[in-house]
Amino acid sequence: MNIAIYPGSFDPITLGHLNIIRRTAQIFDKVVVCIMINGEKDTAMFSPEQRVRMARRVTERIPNVEVDYFNGLLAEYSKRYDKPVVVKGLRAVTDFENEFTMALINKKINPELETMFLTASEKYTFLSSSAVKDVARHGGPLEEFIPIEILDDVRAIAGKGKY
Ligand code: PNS
């Protein structure tokens, strides 16, 4: 079975992420969306539980997708699977340097781990979780940015004004 791991912070999951997940699910037998809980990312607006719940809700109708979470190195997490491929989306050249570095570091730690990149759909090249949080914090419209299933959650959490 060909397995893809799609890692990220998903704080929160966006329509751009969902587009990559759908396309990856057409290429691989199974896609594991892995929410990486990074110590350094205490700036997350959504708790790990909230991020997992939202990602599960928006992918529940895609049969070969599952959502997991992990606190640690992606290269270590990937050892749970038989020859998985890490899939990342590239929105623009500005993403490339960071993604290229991460792919090389992951390969140093786990030499069997390959990374593949999908080009973001041009519809979503502008979109990031950070932008979503900024718009949400200010009570702006989110319909074009995040899946409809999580609109209320994102509005409610962002609306608490803690951020
Ligand atoms: O959605 P993001 O923030 O671009 O995702 C980045 C992420 C979570 C995929 C990356 O930071 C990651 O893999 N973190 C886990 C820790 C790790 O493996 N670090 C080594 C690669 S630099």
Side-chain angles (χ1 to χ4, degrees):
M1 178 155 49
N2 291 322
I3 296 181
I5 300 175
Y6 180 44
S9 308
F10 301 106
D11 183 47
I13 194 164
T14 68
L15 287 173
H17 293 132
L18 192 55
N19 177 266
I20 297 284
I21 293 167
R22 286 210 170 98
R23 289 160 58 204
T24 305
Q26 286 172 0
I27 301 169
F28 288 85
D29 298 318
K30 175 170 155 176
V31 184
V32 181
V33 176
C34 189
I35 295 170
M36 305 304 295
I37 300 158
N38 296 338
E40 106 265 359
K41 296 236 172 181
D42 340 322
T43 51
M45 178 179 272
F46 301 90
S47 70
E49 293 76 18
Q50 287 166 334
R51 285 184 268 160
V52 168
R53 202 169 54 235
M54 290 191 284
R56 288 204 172 124
R57 199 175 314 146
V58 304
T59 57
E60 67 188 358
R61 285 195 209 90
I62 316 172
N64 58 337
V65 173
E66 64 184 55
V67 176
D68 198 2
Y69 58 94
F70 190 67
N71 185 351
L73 291 173
L74 175 61
E76 294 300 333
Y77 175 80
S78 66
K79 291 179 183 168
R80 296 175 177 198
Y81 299 96
D82 183 28
K83 294 192 175 53
V85 173
V86 171
V87 170
K88 300 295 295 279
L90 284 182
R91 288 166 299 190
V93 269
T94 43
D95 279 342
F96 180 75
E97 201 173 310
N98 192 26
E99 293 298 344
F100 189 60
T101 308
M102 283 198 277
L104 290 178
I105 290 172
N106 288 336
K107 206 161 175 49
K108 278 270 179 235
I109 303 170
N110 177 358
E112 292 206 337
L113 190 57
E114 299 293 352
T115 301
M116 288 182 181
F117 297 103
L118 285 190
T119 46
S121 158
E122 61 177 338
K123 260 163 73 182
Y124 301 122
T125 45
F126 66 92
L127 189 52
S128 67
S129 296
S130 310
V132 167
K133 283 182 277 192
D134 211 20
V135 174
R137 241 180 241 121
H138 295 98
L142 294 168
E143 289 81 356
E144 306 262 351
F145 308 145
I146 57 175
I148 193 161
E149 297 92 331
I150 63 168
L151 270 175
D152 287 346
D153 277 15
V154 170
R155 283 194 188 116
I157 294 160
K160 287 191 180 140
K162 279 194 294 178
Y163 307 91

Short mmCIF file of all heavy atoms in Angstrom, two decimals, residues 7-9 36 38 41 72-74 88 102 106, ligand 1:
data_model
loop_
_atom_site.label_atom_id
_atom_site.label_comp_id
_atom_site.label_asym_id
_atom_site.label_seq_id
_atom_site.Cartn_x
_atom_site.Cartn_y
_atom_site.Cartn_z
N PRO A 7 2.08 16.31 6.64
CA PRO A 7 2.26 16.90 7.97
C PRO A 7 2.04 18.40 7.95
O PRO A 7 2.19 19.06 6.92
CB PRO A 7 3.75 16.60 8.26
CG PRO A 7 4.38 16.72 6.90
CD PRO A 7 3.35 16.29 5.88
N GLY A 8 1.71 18.94 9.09
CA GLY A 8 1.58 20.40 9.18
C GLY A 8 1.09 20.79 10.55
O GLY A 8 0.79 19.94 11.40
N SER A 9 0.98 22.11 10.73
CA SER A 9 0.45 22.61 12.00
C SER A 9 -1.08 22.65 11.95
O SER A 9 -1.75 22.50 12.97
CB SER A 9 0.97 24.03 12.26
OG SER A 9 2.37 24.05 12.15
N MET A 36 1.31 18.10 13.53
CA MET A 36 2.54 18.09 14.32
C MET A 36 2.38 19.10 15.45
O MET A 36 2.08 20.28 15.20
CB MET A 36 3.75 18.45 13.45
CG MET A 36 3.94 17.60 12.21
SD MET A 36 4.05 15.81 12.50
CE MET A 36 5.56 15.68 13.41
N ASN A 38 4.17 21.04 17.77
CA ASN A 38 5.56 21.48 17.98
C ASN A 38 5.63 22.35 19.21
O ASN A 38 4.89 23.31 19.34
CB ASN A 38 6.06 22.27 16.77
CG ASN A 38 6.11 21.40 15.53
OD1 ASN A 38 6.17 20.18 15.63
ND2 ASN A 38 6.08 22.01 14.38
N LYS A 41 5.69 26.03 18.82
CA LYS A 41 4.52 26.71 18.27
C LYS A 41 3.48 26.98 19.36
O LYS A 41 2.33 26.62 19.22
CB LYS A 41 3.91 25.86 17.15
CG LYS A 41 4.82 25.69 15.97
CD LYS A 41 4.16 26.15 14.69
CE LYS A 41 5.17 26.16 13.57
NZ LYS A 41 4.62 26.61 12.33
N GLY A 72 6.77 15.48 18.14
CA GLY A 72 8.14 14.97 17.93
C GLY A 72 8.56 15.19 16.51
O GLY A 72 7.99 16.03 15.80
N LEU A 73 9.57 14.44 16.11
CA LEU A 73 10.13 14.62 14.76
C LEU A 73 9.32 13.85 13.73
O LEU A 73 9.00 12.67 13.92
CB LEU A 73 11.58 14.13 14.73
CG LEU A 73 12.59 14.95 15.52
CD1 LEU A 73 13.95 14.24 15.53
CD2 LEU A 73 12.74 16.35 14.91
N LEU A 74 9.07 14.50 12.61
CA LEU A 74 8.35 13.85 11.51
C LEU A 74 9.12 12.61 11.03
O LEU A 74 8.52 11.56 10.74
CB LEU A 74 8.18 14.86 10.36
CG LEU A 74 7.57 14.33 9.09
CD1 LEU A 74 6.15 13.81 9.34
CD2 LEU A 74 7.57 15.41 8.02
N LYS A 88 4.06 17.61 0.66
CA LYS A 88 3.87 19.00 1.07
C LYS A 88 3.36 19.81 -0.11
O LYS A 88 3.64 19.46 -1.27
CB LYS A 88 5.21 19.62 1.55
CG LYS A 88 5.88 18.93 2.72
CD LYS A 88 5.12 18.99 4.01
CE LYS A 88 4.90 20.33 4.66
NZ LYS A 88 6.00 20.85 5.46
N MET A 102 13.68 21.43 5.16
CA MET A 102 13.03 20.44 6.01
C MET A 102 13.13 19.04 5.41
O MET A 102 13.39 18.07 6.11
CB MET A 102 11.56 20.81 6.24
CG MET A 102 11.39 21.92 7.26
SD MET A 102 9.73 22.01 7.92
CE MET A 102 8.92 22.94 6.66
N ASN A 106 14.90 15.93 7.23
CA ASN A 106 14.16 14.69 7.46
C ASN A 106 14.90 13.49 6.86
O ASN A 106 14.95 12.41 7.45
CB ASN A 106 12.76 14.79 6.85
CG ASN A 106 11.87 15.73 7.64
OD1 ASN A 106 12.10 15.96 8.82
ND2 ASN A 106 10.87 16.29 6.98
O1 PNS B 1 2.14 23.81 8.58
P1 PNS B 1 3.58 24.09 8.83
O2 PNS B 1 3.77 24.92 10.07
O3 PNS B 1 4.28 24.65 7.64
O4 PNS B 1 4.26 22.66 9.10
C1 PNS B 1 5.60 22.55 9.48
C2 PNS B 1 5.80 21.14 10.07
C3 PNS B 1 4.90 20.93 11.26
C4 PNS B 1 5.52 20.11 9.01
C5 PNS B 1 7.29 21.04 10.52
O5 PNS B 1 7.58 22.07 11.40
C6 PNS B 1 7.58 19.70 11.15
O6 PNS B 1 7.73 18.69 10.49
N1 PNS B 1 7.68 19.69 12.51
C7 PNS B 1 7.94 18.50 13.26
C8 PNS B 1 9.34 18.56 13.88
C9 PNS B 1 10.39 18.10 12.87
O7 PNS B 1 10.35 17.01 12.36
N2 PNS B 1 11.38 18.97 12.61
C10 PNS B 1 12.45 18.63 11.67
C11 PNS B 1 12.24 19.23 10.30
S1 PNS B 1 12.90 20.84 10.33
#
